[in-house]
Amino acid sequence: MVDLSLNEEVDAFVIAGDLFDGEKLSFATERFLLEQLSRLNQAGISVVYATGNHDAPTRARRGAALQWPANVLVAAGPEPRRQTVFDRDGTPVGHITAAGHATDRESRNLSAGFLRPPGNDPEVAVLHTHASSAAGAARHGRYAPSDVAGMARAGFDYWALGHIHQREVLSEQPMICYSGSPQGLGFGEVGPRGCLVVDLKSRRTPDVRFCSIAPLRFEVLRVGGIEEARSLDAVVRRVVEHWEDARRMDPADPGAEWIVRVELEGPAALAHSLRRTEDQEALQAELQAVLDAAHVERSVSRTQVPVRTSDYIARGDVLGEALRLVEELRGGAEPLDSVAPDDLGGLDISGGGERDAYLRSLLQDASGELLTRLLREAGQP
Amino acid sequence: VKIERVRIEQFGALRDFDTGSDPLPSLVVIYGPNESGKSTFFTFLGSMLYGFYPASRDAHPYKPWTGTHLEGEATGVLDTGVPWEVRRRLRSSPWGRLKRGTADVELRNATLPFVDHVPRDVFSKVFSLRLSELVELDGNTWSVIEDRLMASLVRDDVRLGREVGGELRTEAQRLWRPDNRGRPRARELTNQIRDLQEQRRIAEARDDAVRTAQASLVESRVERAELDQRREELSELRRSLERLVPAQRRLTEFDAAHEDAADADSLEDLPSEPLHQIERWSEEEGRIRTRLEGLEARALRLQEASANPDRATSALLRDADEIRARSADFDELAILRARLEGSEQDLAALEARIDRAQAAALLPTAPGAGPAWRDQFVALDPERVRACVQEARSARERLRAQVAEVPRTPTPSPPLQPESTALSTWTPVGALVAGIVFLGVGSGLGHMAASAAGGALLLFGMLGLGVAWDRSRRPQALTVAEPRAAQVAEHAQSVTALRREAEAAAEGLASLLAGLPVRPEILEAEDALGLAALLELPGLLGERRRRQHEGRDRRARLDGLEADARGWLMRVDGQVPETPDELAKAARSLGGRVHQAQGSESARDQARRDRELVRNELGEWTERAQELATLRTVLSDRLGRLGDGDEREGDRRVRRMRTAARRLGDLGEALRRDFGAPATLRADLETFAAAHPAQPLSQETLDRTRGALEGLARRAEELSGRIRGLETDIRHLEEQPSMARIYSEIETLSQERDGVRRERDRLELLANIVELAEQRFRDRHQPDVVRRGGEYLSRITDGRYVRLVHAQDEHSESLLLLERGDGRLVGLSEALSTGTREQVLLSLRLAAADHLDQRGERLPLCVDEVFVNWDRGRRDRGLELMTEVAKDRQVFVFTCHPEVAERLATLGARVLSMPT
């Protein structure tokens, strides 16, 4: 991003929180960070950094104690701080207002404290916030909650938001954007990752351009259509076709590496075979060999024998009972607790809603799995 | 469903089998020995109801041995009384047709619609009871029975729920377990994460160490920078001190020297060693005085030497030029006289030569010849004479040669031999040559004897040649052969012509020499000396005439000059010498006196010049002496003043001042060379003092500064070592796994662990679903089955066991209990007889069949030899039970035991004997 900023000759560089995670700030990272910020300083680029819940001063004491370069304005509290931005000639070209999380449990609506001062220069607001209308809001902690309408009323020309890791434009008038995480952190953060370059020559219609810069890309490759694939080779070929199609649509940035999870799904002639560990390992080894990726994982749990659930759900046997039970569980006719494991290893249960949601998520593809498990494989005694 | 007639055209071993037109009753006994086709008959019934399975003739186990198709039909009525008829055939593909009531439908291989509430495989398992199935129950628990029972209630394509559930749970437990048993993947991951957490703590400690080291490094670098700055300052101070301390010292010396040499400039006019100079001047003055005395004495002598000469000498000096000029005349006189005498001697020698030549070339009468002859001789051209002589000689030679060529006879004649003579031809030639040589030598050297000898030899030679030539002309006594006449004539003519030529030549020569007394033999013979003398003689005569004239002229001139000289001597010296020798002597004497006078005059002139020089020198030296005296006095006075009256002290003071002045110069030069201009240096000193008010400009300060610098250098070295050590430590620390990497690995493993736990939860949930589904299935089927089974068991055991009870033990395992008539519950696993367990299972299977088709058509039940292990009472009750069952559904009892067939026949069954 620093290279990009220098190349683009931007006037300002904003960081909308979670620059680092608590005390997980190594000295090397710290040094690298300060070196890069110093490069911006040398180029005369202002840096405005608003703390988030992960790097709030109470949680990230190391970060709070950093000796920032002179060009860095750190907003680490709820009171908005305003920074005038100058171009290379020293002419003011706009202002940036930022507020930060003082603690890692900030519950106030910090956007309420933002108010555009009078003037005609572009005004930018920077905030680490949980915008309730954001698509990925449900997957993130509700810290410093805000709403788009409230932010829009504040009168700023552009809102640079952080917290939600998925890039999203919440509003175009005014422009309110989550840039998303610059680097995906796992398979939950797939797709191109990077930053937004915003041109505010036109205050009312800022030009927002996404630049993909993540050196490591996570990708979940869901591969269906393997109903007729009767060998692992055929499955691999199908995966490669999907991979090539995906890369044609979304080519990698030069130099970027891939971490890929291949999720086989849907009817599969080899559904039973794919449930066997040795076959899964063979498949993974083959995929690792043919995909140009740093690491490949596989998931076969969403495959199922190539039959329709409707053909079996009415049967009076155990399979029919199980399929009907799944539907009842999904529909709520049968309480999830009736089938919930006594101990849930994958969820730190804190409330019924989350637990039910978690259990309900486990029911995804349960019918196919049950069909595959319960239906006897041809030739199986 | 009731089957009333079965017709088998071809099915396994059965062919053209027909149960007959009489409708079969509800209880039918298929009687026949083993391998008689009972099972075939049962399979045929199933095929009629459900179609051929497999639907391929080739794969069908009951494919006829003949290889033909399978075919047959069955008719019957439904429970509602509707008749039906089905006919099926299996060739390359299955074919079937169903008539139900008035409906007639194509079946292909489909199941009859009124039996599809019980799947084929369920029908084959539940509605066909074989002894083997009951026998295998030996020792099995209710779970097995239950599984078998439940399994019998479902189709073959579905696995047992218990099995699948167990499988899912096993997989789940391989991933995660809430207890501490086993090594599930999640635990492995947790352990790895724990290890990584430990590594993280180490890495954090390492990171802290890096931070600490970095802080120390920064601190050390700052200290080092400050120290370097301090060192630089001190180095600058040291450099200033190193320059200014000695400079100041030198400047102090310079100033002191300047003070000492304050008036040294006023001494510039003084000599370098004034007192010594005074002494030198005194000494020089003394020497000058002595010299002046010598000069004065010399001047006196020179004055005497330069006195004027006497009168005679003055006269000589007056006439000195003339006398010197006349001396030349006297010299010329002597020369002229010597030349005259020489000419006379030469003339005498010439005369002698002439005499010798005349003697050789002329006749003896010649000496008395008159002057005309001599004039003629003088006018004679020697070359012409030589040519004429040569011509005459040539002509004679040719003549002689021609004469010698007289033609000869063929007989060789002896060679021509000259007549022997005492005097050979070569002798006069040698004399002629010697005469010429002697004559030349004597003439060249003026040696009369040689000339005479030469003349004599020349004459002898000429005479000898003449004699030889004469002889040669005379006829020789030759011995020759007579020539031939022509040749002789021709030869004679030639000789004659040549003779004429020789004579003409001789006449020419004679004409030329006509009147001259030339000896003829030198003309005719080979007389070289004579001829040479003849040829020389005109020259010699001419020369003698010329010299005679010349001698007369010289004599006349000499006489005139001597007369003039005598007159001059008379006039000058008053003496008249008579003879030339006296004249010369007088002249020489006069010259000597003039020379002497002139020498004396030169000495006087020199004395005058020397005297003038001496006078000048005397003046110079006198002036010098006075100058020295003045200088000495002045210098002495200056020294006296400088020495306060003491001349020596004054001298010492001058020396001191001069030494100070020189030292001042040296110091100044060294100062400028080493430290720059003094003014600049003074400014630097002032600047230093202003800049370092606390640092006196002294060696002590310099030493102290140097000491401080050494201390700082040691400290700098320590710091450098510490910095290097810290940098090395940091580098080593940073080479180890970083916090970020470990965090990343922990995060990766945590995500994997979350995924594993989630997968475990999913599998566990699916296992629960499967088990709950099976429980539901059991709950749906089991109570009725168990209840009905208990009723059947009570009938069979005649109240020994009144019912079956389903329960769960403390482990939630299903249990089947038998309640005896006395109310006691007996576990199935307790020691029951084989027959009792078979009776339990038969009861449950009958109950299951009742349960399965209770909502549809009752399907026929086939019982194959299940009663053989029963005691008689229970067998009878079992057979009676069949009669009871046959009231609701058609029952086919297969047996090979005639008593069974008979007993059932008595109970109303129709017995069909299978063909053997």
Side-chain angles (χ1 to χ4, degrees):
Chain A
M1 277 193 286
V2 170
D3 288 341
L4 177 67
S5 300
L6 295 175
N7 291 336
E8 295 276 348
E9 297 185 343
V10 301
D11 296 313
F13 184 96
V14 300
I15 304 167
D18 287 359
L19 182 58
F20 38 85
D21 187 7
E23 293 301 288
K24 297 177 182 176
L25 177 62
S26 71
F27 180 69
T29 305
E30 174 185 318
R31 192 166 49 193
F32 177 78
L33 172 64
L34 294 179
E35 285 173 357
Q36 298 306 309
L37 292 176
S38 294
R39 291 178 64 201
L40 295 175
N41 189 26
Q42 290 168 2
I45 299 173
S46 297
V47 178
V48 176
Y49 160 40
T51 58
N53 53 307
H54 280 279
D55 52 359
T58 56
R59 181 173 176 179
R61 287 182 291 275
R62 280 179 173 168
L66 289 179
Q67 297 297 314
W68 301 100
N71 61 323
V72 180
L73 171 70
V74 180
E79 190 65 30
R81 299 186 63 185
R82 189 162 181 261
Q83 169 81 43
T84 300
V85 177
F86 299 90
D87 64 10
R88 299 293 187 278
D89 299 328
T91 305
V93 294
H95 306 276
I96 300 174
T97 302
H101 294 217
T103 70
D104 59 347
R105 297 287 176 184
E106 180 61 63
S107 59
R108 292 168 290 183
N109 179 3
L110 300 181
S111 70
F114 283 67
L115 184 62
R116 178 193 172 96
N120 293 322
D121 287 340
E123 292 283 349
V124 174
V126 184
L127 186 62
H128 192 81
T129 183
H130 183 277
S132 55
S133 60
R139 294 193 296 274
H140 294 79
R142 199 166 180 276
Y143 302 120
S146 63
D147 61 274
V148 172
M151 288 188 277
R153 282 195 300 274
F156 286 85
D157 301 311
Y158 182 80
W159 281 83
L161 303 183
H163 188 51
I164 307 297
H165 289 200
Q166 184 59 44
R167 184 173 70 256
E168 185 178 2
V169 177
L170 300 182
S171 165
E172 293 187 349
Q173 287 291 339
M175 189 68 83
I176 302 175
C177 298
Y178 277 109
S179 62
S181 54
Q183 168 62 62
L185 300 179
F187 289 111
E189 298 181 14
V190 298
R193 298 273 159 174
C195 61
L196 299 178
V197 177
V198 183
D199 188 343
L200 282 162
K201 285 191 181 69
S202 171
R203 280 179 46 198
R204 297 189 60 78
T205 55
D207 177 26
V208 180
R209 176 162 51 93
F210 170 72
C211 293
S212 174
I213 58 171
L216 190 63
R217 287 278 304 272
F218 286 89
E219 175 81 342
V220 175
L221 193 67
R222 294 192 171 88
V223 180
I226 54 174
E227 185 173 358
E228 300 300 326
R230 301 190 183 280
S231 68
L232 287 181
D233 285 344
V235 173
V236 169
R237 282 196 297 274
R238 184 64 182 147
V239 171
V240 171
E241 289 172 6
H242 271 258
W243 173 254
E244 291 173 348
D245 289 345
R247 295 288 67 77
R248 275 193 288 273
M249 298 293 292
D250 174 19
D253 297 322
E257 289 192 296
W258 291 91
I259 295 181
V260 184
R261 171 182 287 167
V262 177
E263 290 186 355
L264 301 179
E265 63 182 10
L270 295 179
H272 284 111
S273 171
L274 291 172
R275 292 299 189 283
R276 289 194 281 269
T277 302
E278 58 269 28
D279 285 345
Q280 289 182 26
E281 290 174 348
L283 174 65
Q284 179 163 347
E286 188 64 22
L287 292 176
Q288 183 74 57
V290 299
L291 298 182
D292 184 17
H295 177 68
V296 176
E297 292 183 11
R298 89 288 180 184
S299 169
V300 299
S301 61
R302 300 183 67 183
T303 58
Q304 65 170 72
V305 289
V307 298
R308 291 181 301 182
T309 304
S310 58
D311 291 342
Y312 292 86
I313 197 167
R315 283 171 48 157
D317 53 16
V318 175
L319 176 57
E321 287 286 356
L323 296 175
R324 288 192 296 276
L325 178 55
V326 169
E327 293 305 312
E328 290 168 9
L329 290 167
R330 285 175 177 160
E334 178 71 22
L336 289 166
D337 279 341
S338 63
V339 293
D342 294 336
D343 299 289
L344 287 172
L347 180 68
D348 184 11
I349 305 299
S350 60
E354 287 187 10
R355 184 172 186 274
D356 280 357
Y358 175 67
L359 292 172
R360 204 170 298 283
S361 71
L362 298 179
L363 284 173
Q364 190 179 12
D365 302 314
S367 299
E369 182 78 39
L370 290 170
L371 278 167
T372 306
R373 296 275 183 172
L374 283 167
L375 277 177
R376 200 178 299 279
E377 186 179 2
Q380 188 179 17
Chain B
V1 175
K2 182 181 178 187
I3 298 172
E4 292 182 331
R5 183 173 181 177
V6 173
R7 286 187 290 185
I8 303 173
E9 294 178 16
Q10 191 73 46
F11 197 90
L14 297 178
R15 185 175 183 181
D16 298 330
F17 178 83
D18 189 356
T19 58
S21 57
D22 291 340
L24 294 173
S26 292
L27 182 59
V28 181
V29 176
I30 307 298
Y31 172 73
N34 292 330
E35 309 295 334
S36 61
K38 298 193 293 294
S39 297
T40 304
F41 182 80
F42 174 75
T43 304
F44 177 81
L45 289 181
S47 297
M48 290 298 106
L49 295 177
Y50 291 96
F52 294 107
Y53 185 82
S56 167
R57 181 186 61 185
D58 294 337
H60 203 283
Y62 290 96
K63 178 180 66 177
W65 296 341
T66 57
T68 58
H69 60 275
L70 294 81
E71 187 170 6
E73 67 179 25
T75 59
V77 294
L78 299 177
D79 294 343
T80 56
V82 176
W84 57 273
E85 178 182 339
V86 62
R87 182 172 183 83
R88 294 181 186 272
R89 183 170 60 239
L90 179 61
R91 288 183 170 147
S92 59
S93 60
W95 172 88
R97 180 173 292 278
L98 170 65
K99 291 180 181 177
R100 185 171 64 174
T102 57
D104 186 351
V105 296
E106 187 76 29
L107 283 176
R108 295 181 185 274
N109 200 38
T111 300
L112 295 178
F114 42 84
V115 301
D116 64 355
H117 58 288
V118 176
R120 171 204 297 274
D121 44 3
V122 174
F123 172 78
S124 65
K125 287 186 288 185
V126 176
F127 292 82
S128 173
L129 297 175
R130 293 181 179 83
L131 176 60
S132 59
E133 294 172 348
L134 303 182
V135 170
E136 289 172 359
L137 288 173
D138 185 24
N140 285 347
T141 63
W142 163 244
S143 295
V144 177
I145 296 171
E146 187 179 38
D147 287 344
R148 181 164 297 182
L149 181 61
M150 291 299 108
S152 67
L153 300 182
V154 299
R155 298 171 61 170
D156 280 345
D157 62 347
V158 176
R159 299 169 64 198
L160 284 174
R162 176 189 297 271
E163 178 184 326
V164 172
E167 191 176 278
L168 286 167
R169 211 171 294 284
T170 300
E171 288 183 29
Q173 289 181 349
R174 278 203 295 265
L175 296 177
W176 184 77
R177 291 176 67 106
D179 52 34
N180 289 325
R181 291 188 294 175
R183 293 183 58 80
R185 175 64 181 157
R187 177 170 297 163
E188 291 178 357
L189 291 170
T190 298
N191 291 337
Q192 292 179 25
I193 291 170
R194 188 178 299 118
D195 293 342
L196 284 171
Q197 294 286 9
E198 180 60 27
Q199 292 182 33
R200 177 185 60 80
R201 280 189 286 276
I202 295 171
E204 286 174 348
R206 195 161 53 234
D207 198 70
D208 288 340
V210 171
R211 288 176 186 277
T212 303
Q214 186 66 24
S216 298
L217 183 62
V218 170
E219 184 182 338
S220 297
R221 283 175 172 163
V222 168
E223 184 182 352
R224 174 62 191 267
E226 293 172 352
L227 188 143
D228 287 344
Q229 176 67 25
R230 178 63 182 149
R231 287 179 72 189
E232 184 60 30
E233 292 171 358
L234 283 180
S235 295
E236 181 61 28
L237 176 62
R238 184 193 62 188
R239 283 193 290 274
S240 296
L241 289 169
E242 284 175 343
R243 174 173 172 262
L244 293 178
V245 166
Q248 186 186 42
R249 190 163 54 240
R250 297 272 283 281
L251 192 59
T252 302
E253 293 173 5
F254 177 77
D255 290 343
H258 190 270
E259 189 176 350
D260 290 343
D263 297 327
D265 293 343
S266 63
L267 304 178
E268 282 183 353
D269 56 339
L270 292 182
S272 58
E273 296 176 325
L275 193 58
H276 187 60
Q277 184 65 42
I278 289 173
E279 292 171 354
R280 281 201 303 273
W281 281 343
S282 296
E283 292 171 359
E284 185 180 357
E285 193 178 351
R287 285 194 300 273
I288 290 172
R289 296 294 177 195
T290 304
R291 186 178 185 85
L292 282 173
E293 290 172 2
L295 286 172
E296 285 170 355
R298 187 183 174 199
L300 190 59
R301 286 193 302 274
L302 288 173
Q303 188 174 6
E304 292 172 355
S306 61
N308 292 330
D310 55 16
R311 289 183 61 189
T313 304
S314 296
L316 282 174
L317 291 172
R318 184 181 60 246
D319 298 331
D321 292 337
E322 187 179 359
I323 293 169
R324 275 197 297 277
R326 283 296 181 175
S327 295
D329 291 342
F330 287 114
D331 292 340
E332 187 178 355
L333 278 174
I335 293 169
L336 286 175
R337 186 174 298 281
R339 285 180 179 172
L340 181 59
E341 291 172 357
S343 295
E344 288 173 351
Q345 291 173 359
D346 292 342
L347 184 59
L350 185 62
E351 286 292 347
R353 285 179 65 187
I354 291 171
D355 291 343
R356 287 191 297 273
Q358 285 179 346
L362 299 182
L363 295 173
T365 60
W373 173 81
R374 293 184 179 174
D375 292 340
Q376 187 183 352
F377 221 111
V378 170
L380 187 64
D381 184 356
E383 291 302 320
R384 187 178 175 191
V385 174
R386 187 189 306 276
C388 289
V389 171
Q390 189 65 36
E391 184 178 355
R393 285 181 179 174
S394 298
R396 286 194 301 271
E397 287 294 327
R398 287 194 297 275
L399 177 61
R400 192 164 47 245
Q402 187 62 37
V403 172
E405 289 291 326
V406 176
R408 294 176 175 87
T409 62
T411 305
S413 58
L416 184 62
Q417 294 291 335
E419 188 177 352
S420 176
T421 62
L423 185 63
S424 70
T425 305
W426 293 105
T427 302
V429 171
L432 192 60
V433 171
I436 291 171
V437 170
F438 275 87
L439 190 62
V441 171
S443 178
L445 298 176
H447 198 289
M448 294 304 290
S451 296
L457 287 170
L458 190 61
L459 184 60
F460 175 73
M462 291 176 70
L463 291 172
L465 286 174
V467 172
W469 180 70
D470 184 58
R471 287 180 179 171
S472 68
R473 288 185 62 202
R474 283 180 290 179
Q476 299 294 318
L478 297 175
T479 304
V480 295
E482 284 296 327
R484 286 176 296 181
Q487 288 175 333
V488 171
E490 186 181 356
H491 180 261
Q493 288 176 358
S494 178
V495 168
T496 301
L498 290 171
R499 184 171 293 120
R500 286 193 191 110
E501 288 178 8
E503 288 171 356
E507 287 174 1
L509 181 59
S511 174
L512 183 63
L513 299 174
L516 294 175
V518 177
R519 295 173 67 175
E521 61 268 26
I522 63 172
L523 300 177
E524 296 176 357
E526 295 294 336
D527 186 358
L529 289 176
L531 182 58
L534 180 63
L535 294 176
E536 185 186 27
L537 197 55
L540 294 174
L541 291 175
E543 179 68 16
R544 182 177 68 183
R545 185 176 292 177
R546 186 182 60 79
R547 288 196 177 189
Q548 285 171 345
H549 286 296
E550 188 178 80
R552 281 191 298 274
D553 291 343
R554 281 178 178 171
R555 171 64 65 185
R557 188 182 172 201
L558 183 61
D559 291 345
L561 286 173
E562 284 178 349
D564 184 62
R566 286 188 188 93
W568 179 76
L569 276 174
M570 183 62 194
R571 184 174 52 83
V572 173
D573 198 23
Q575 54 180 328
V576 180
E578 292 296 329
T579 65
D581 289 337
E582 290 172 350
L583 183 61
K585 185 176 179 182
R588 282 195 296 273
S589 173
L590 183 60
R593 281 186 284 128
V594 169
H595 182 72
Q596 185 176 5
Q598 285 181 331
S600 299
E601 184 60 20
S602 296
R604 278 192 298 276
D605 290 343
Q606 182 64 41
R608 289 189 202 98
R609 286 191 298 275
D610 289 346
R611 189 180 64 180
E612 188 61 29
L613 290 173
V614 168
R615 282 178 182 170
N616 292 339
E617 192 173 358
L618 273 171
E620 289 174 1
W621 285 115
T622 303
E623 187 180 349
R624 174 62 180 162
Q626 291 171 351
E627 182 186 356
L628 288 173
T630 303
L631 287 172
R632 183 167 49 79
T633 303
V634 171
L635 182 57
S636 180
D637 291 345
R638 294 265 312 264
L639 289 178
R641 285 196 299 275
L642 289 169
D644 294 333
D646 185 348
E647 196 173 272
R648 292 193 174 277
E649 177 58 28
D651 181 76
R652 284 193 291 274
R653 183 174 178 192
V654 168
R655 287 173 182 271
R656 284 200 303 274
M657 290 173 69
R658 283 185 166 159
T659 302
R662 279 197 302 274
R663 188 155 178 266
L664 179 65
D666 293 342
L667 285 172
E669 185 180 349
L671 198 61
R672 275 187 288 277
R673 182 188 64 229
D674 297 338
F675 304 107
T680 306
L681 185 56
R682 289 182 205 286
D684 291 347
L685 290 169
E686 290 174 2
T687 303
F688 177 85
H692 305 90
Q695 302 288 352
L697 190 61
S698 64
Q699 184 64 38
E700 181 184 356
T701 305
L702 176 57
D703 294 341
R704 191 168 59 246
T705 303
R706 283 173 173 162
L709 272 172
E710 289 173 0
L712 290 177
R714 286 193 296 274
R715 178 59 182 158
E717 187 62 29
E718 290 174 6
L719 284 174
S720 296
R722 185 178 179 196
I723 288 169
R724 285 193 298 272
L726 287 169
E727 287 173 342
T728 303
D729 292 346
I730 290 170
R731 190 165 57 249
H732 288 166
L733 287 169
E734 288 183 339
E735 285 171 354
Q736 298 178 56
S738 65
M739 282 171 56
R741 178 176 173 179
I742 295 172
Y743 281 136
S744 175
E745 291 179 7
I746 290 174
E747 183 63 28
T748 302
L749 293 180
S750 297
Q751 287 188 12
E752 183 181 352
R753 185 176 62 179
D754 291 346
V756 164
R757 286 180 169 179
R758 177 185 169 82
E759 179 64 8
R760 174 266 173 189
D761 290 346
R762 190 181 77 91
L763 295 174
E764 194 76 17
L765 182 78
L766 291 173
N768 289 346
I769 289 172
V770 170
E771 290 181 356
L772 180 57
E774 186 168 79
Q775 185 60 45
R776 283 188 173 186
F777 177 78
R778 291 174 193 276
D779 291 344
R780 182 168 298 160
H781 296 280
Q782 202 176 58
D784 182 56
V785 172
V786 172
R787 178 184 58 77
R788 289 175 186 253
E791 289 174 1
Y792 285 128
L793 182 62
S794 179
R795 294 278 299 275
I796 293 170
T797 61
D798 193 24
R800 167 79 175 168
Y801 299 102
V802 296
R803 69 188 181 106
L804 294 171
V805 178
H806 179 226
Q808 288 185 329
D809 64 7
E810 63 273 20
H811 302 299
S812 301
E813 294 291 333
S814 293
L815 296 173
L816 185 66
L817 303 175
L818 282 64
E819 184 179 341
R820 298 200 316 190
D822 57 3
R824 183 183 170 190
L825 293 175
V826 177
L828 188 61
S829 61
E830 295 179 17
L832 294 176
S833 66
T834 302
T836 302
R837 287 198 295 274
E838 291 177 0
Q839 289 151 21
V840 171
L841 183 60
L842 177 62
S843 301
L844 288 171
R845 295 291 289 273
L846 290 174
D850 291 344
H851 176 79
L852 283 173
D853 60 4
Q854 61 183 336
R855 291 191 179 87
E857 291 288 329
R858 297 283 180 173
L859 301 185
L861 180 70
C862 297
V863 179
D864 186 1
E865 302 287 16
V866 298
F867 309 106
V868 294
N869 294 322
W870 299 9
D871 58 41
R872 186 177 184 84
R874 291 188 180 182
R875 187 182 62 188
D876 290 342
R877 283 190 288 276
L879 294 175
E880 290 169 1
L881 179 60
M882 293 299 103
T883 305
E884 292 294 323
V885 170
K887 290 177 181 175
D888 293 326
R889 69 176 72 247
Q890 192 173 23
V891 176
F892 291 86
V893 178
F894 294 82
T895 183
C896 62
H897 298 282
E899 65 273 20
V900 173
E902 290 171 1
R903 176 61 184 160
L904 287 173
T906 60
L907 293 175
R910 180 175 173 179
V911 177
L912 293 177
S913 296
M914 297 303 291
T916 58

